Amino acid sequence: MADAARVAVVTGGNRGMGLETVRQLAKLGIEVMLTSRDPEAGAAAVTDLAESGLSASVQPLDVTDQGQIEALVERIARQFGRLDILVNNAGILPDSRGHDGHRASVLVTPMELMRSAYETNTLGPMRLCQALVPLMRKNGYGRIVNVSSAMGQLSEMGGEFPGYRLSKAALNALTRILAAELAGTDIKVNAACPGWVRTDMGGADATRSLAEGVDTTVWLATVTGEDAPNGGFFRDREPIPW
């Protein structure tokens, strides 16, 4: 199957790592649909890509809204009739600061903040997989990449940022469950840790560029062959502990 025939969806694709992922996939000739909670921001991103000679389409999507997910599926089925790549990039860091200006502690974090992290960072990807894996099964091929974080590693788990940490740890577990259930097919599911990237979330002091941050995600989204990884957690194209 040639790259030019593939279709990809990238959530949270209007800025930062999501937009860079769209850019890199489009450069490979893949038909990319970026999703954005803000339709105007999504349209502006597509226009910027077009000015660079790259083509992408845009679909409004809040990953916590089942109705919008269903609309996405209907459009993909109508426009392309297939889906080959899903990059679950959309995510939030709701608990970066506590009420006193310090990093949020699990001892004082409101439950509503925890729920919002899970809804977007864990249940959003789960909803999208439930909705879109049938399109992958139809053609017997798929690559799902869950953009996770070292902050969700149990092996390196620390304090603070409980909403983000717990939701990313749960996303890692979801990756393993999906990979196990899809074993024996050519639908591969993996998690990627981009590292500390210069984005709105990562901040200006982060050590990695956007291109460095998405390299592993793009690799996992496009790798082929019998030895293509499944059910792994990767950074810099190398496996890391859960």
Side-chain angles (χ1 to χ4, degrees), residues 4 24 33 72 84 88 108 121 124 127 165 178 184 203 217 221 232:
Q24 296 300 329
M33 180 178 290
L72 170 69
D84 305 289
N88 284 311
V108 297
N121 297 348
R127 289 186 182 98
R165 287 186 184 277
L178 287 166
T217 295

Side-chain angles (χ1 to χ4, degrees), residues 109-148:
T109 296
M111 290 301 106
E112 186 54 41
L113 183 149
M114 299 298 298
R115 291 188 186 97
S116 69
Y118 270 100
E119 282 289 338
T120 298
N121 297 348
T122 308
L123 298 183
M126 183 173 174
R127 289 186 182 98
L128 283 157
C129 289
Q130 288 178 341
L132 293 171
V133 164
L135 282 174
M136 294 180 172
R137 286 187 184 274
K138 180 180 177 181
N139 290 296
Y141 178 90
R143 297 292 182 267
I144 299 171
V145 186
N146 294 325
V147 179
S148 187

Side-chain angles (χ1 to χ4, degrees), residues 13-233:
N14 61 289
R15 64 178 183 175
M17 288 193 297
L19 180 55
E20 184 63 21
T21 300
V22 172
R23 189 187 314 278
Q24 296 300 329
L25 292 175
K27 285 180 178 179
L28 296 174
I30 295 170
E31 293 272 5
V32 189
M33 180 178 290
L34 70 84
T35 77
S36 171
R37 283 188 299 176
D38 181 343
E40 292 184 1
V46 168
T47 298
D48 288 345
L49 289 167
E51 291 175 355
S52 302
L54 298 173
S55 175
S57 54
V58 61
Q59 177 73 12
L61 180 68
D62 179 337
V63 299
T64 70
D65 187 321
Q66 188 64 33
Q68 290 190 18
I69 290 174
E70 291 170 3
L72 170 69
V73 175
E74 192 278 332
R75 181 180 172 190
I76 294 168
R78 182 183 70 251
Q79 184 170 338
F80 302 109
R82 64 183 302 142
L83 181 69
D84 305 289
I85 297 166
L86 169 62
V87 178
N88 284 311
N89 167 79
I92 60 172
L93 178 61
D95 49 2
S96 57
R97 296 291 173 187
H99 68 281
D100 57 357
H102 294 88
R103 292 173 179 174
S105 164
V106 71
L107 297 174
V108 297
T109 296
M111 290 301 106
E112 186 54 41
L113 183 149
M114 299 298 298
R115 291 188 186 97
S116 69
Y118 270 100
E119 282 289 338
T120 298
N121 297 348
T122 308
L123 298 183
M126 183 173 174
R127 289 186 182 98
L128 283 157
C129 289
Q130 288 178 341
L132 293 171
V133 164
L135 282 174
M136 294 180 172
R137 286 187 184 274
K138 180 180 177 181
N139 290 296
Y141 178 90
R143 297 292 182 267
I144 299 171
V145 186
N146 294 325
V147 179
S148 187
S149 170
M151 291 175 71
Q153 285 181 282
L154 294 180
S155 59
E156 302 289 336
M157 188 60 68
E160 304 174 335
F161 303 102
Y164 189 75
R165 287 186 184 277
L166 287 169
S167 63
K168 290 297 186 179
L171 179 63
N172 288 349
L174 175 64
T175 302
R176 295 284 287 176
I177 294 167
L178 287 166
E181 292 194 3
L182 293 169
T185 74
D186 200 12
I187 302 174
K188 310 298 184 184
V189 190
N190 294 282
C193 172
W196 189 20
V197 183
R198 291 187 291 276
T199 63
D200 289 347
M201 184 184 293
D205 295 331
T207 57
R208 292 188 169 211
S209 67
L210 288 172
E212 290 170 324
V214 307
D215 177 73
T216 296
T217 295
V218 173
W219 169 66
L220 289 170
T222 56
V223 64
T224 58
E226 293 182 1
D227 59 347
N230 187 46
F233 192 12

